[in-house]
Each structure stands twice: as C-alpha cells, then as structure tokens.
Amino acid sequence: MTLTTPGLLFPAISLLLLAYTNRFLVLAQLIRELNAREGETIRPLVVAQITNLRKRIKLIRTMQVYGVASFLMCTISMFALFIEFKTIGIILFGISLGCLALSLLTSLYEIHISCDAIEIELKNIEKKPLSDKAD
C-alpha cells in the first residue's frame, strides 16, 4: 500500500462531512421555525415532530463523529506510511474505512428517520377536511 491510497479518501470524506453539516443546519433552521411558529402552546403533531427531530440531531452528530474519526485515522495512516510504518498504516487505514462505513450506515438510518418525519406531516394533511372547490 502506498501513501496515495489513503489520500484517495480525503475528497470523499470532506464531501460527506459537508453534506452532514448541511443536514444539521437545515434541521436547526427547521427547529427554530417550529419554535417561533408554535408560540406558547404546542400541538400533538409537533410533539411527534420534536421526538423525530431530536433523534435525527443525535444521529447527525454520530455521523459527524464517525466521519471525523475516519478522516483522522486516514491522516494518521498516511503519516504512518510516510514514516514507513507500513503495518500500522494499513491497520489505521482499515480503521478509517470502518469508521467511514459506520458513518454511512448511520446516515442511511437518519434518512429512514427523515422519511418518518414526512409521514407524520402526510398523516396530518390527510386529517384535514376536503375542499368543495373544483380545480
């Protein structure tokens, strides 16, 4: 294994971390809007959304932790290969790949939870009375 092998992961991990940060920012904005819209009272629908949002925030944090760990292990792997500690470099690269896989699996689960949030909204829409107006 050469020094460039772990280097191939750098752009992928960087893009993943950027995507995770964007997901976090969108959720934070949604939470702020929800708080401002609800005011002093809270509807039962919002309670279900809050539970879902809290779970998603924790999952995004976990995704970021595994992503950063992957990035760090990849960097240390490159350093180990640079100073010619090949076995340690290979092991650290393997750990980096494992962390990346955990990050991606957590991301997949967060996407599943995100779909549950949309389902909550759809159920709320279905409860509303039908309009008599024709299109």
Side-chain angles (χ1 to χ4, degrees):
M1 189 163 103
T2 66
L3 186 62
T4 57
T5 304
L8 294 173
L9 278 186
F10 272 73
I13 296 171
S14 297
L15 286 174
L16 272 178
L17 290 174
L18 182 61
Y20 295 164
T21 300
N22 285 340
R23 290 187 75 80
F24 177 81
L25 292 174
V26 167
L27 277 183
Q29 182 64 32
L30 180 63
I31 290 167
R32 287 184 188 99
E33 288 173 8
L34 192 59
N35 185 40
R37 187 176 64 219
E38 287 304 304
E40 296 299 316
T41 60
I42 188 167
R43 296 172 292 149
L45 169 72
V46 176
V47 173
Q49 289 175 332
I50 290 170
T51 302
N52 186 286
L53 290 168
R54 186 171 279 127
K55 188 185 295 185
R56 289 176 63 197
I57 289 290
K58 288 178 183 175
L59 285 171
I60 290 173
R61 180 176 53 211
T62 302
M63 290 159 38
Q64 289 173 326
V65 166
Y66 283 129
V68 169
S70 177
F71 202 54
L72 187 60
M73 289 298 115
C74 195
T75 304
I76 297 170
S77 169
M78 287 180 68
F79 181 71
L81 291 170
F82 177 72
I83 60 174
E84 297 186 10
F85 288 176
K86 293 199 184 291
T87 303
I88 293 172
I90 291 169
I91 291 169
L92 290 171
F93 183 65
I95 293 169
S96 174
L97 290 175
C99 288
L100 182 59
L102 288 171
S103 178
L104 291 170
L105 289 171
T106 306
S107 175
L108 186 62
Y109 182 59
E110 193 273 333
I111 291 168
H112 174 73
I113 300 296
S114 175
C115 291
D116 289 346
I118 295 170
E119 188 64 33
I120 291 169
E121 287 295 325
L122 288 173
K123 285 179 183 178
N124 187 51
I125 293 170
E126 288 175 336
K127 290 179 185 176
K128 294 180 181 182
L130 293 174
S131 173
D132 292 335
K133 297 178 186 176
D135 290 332

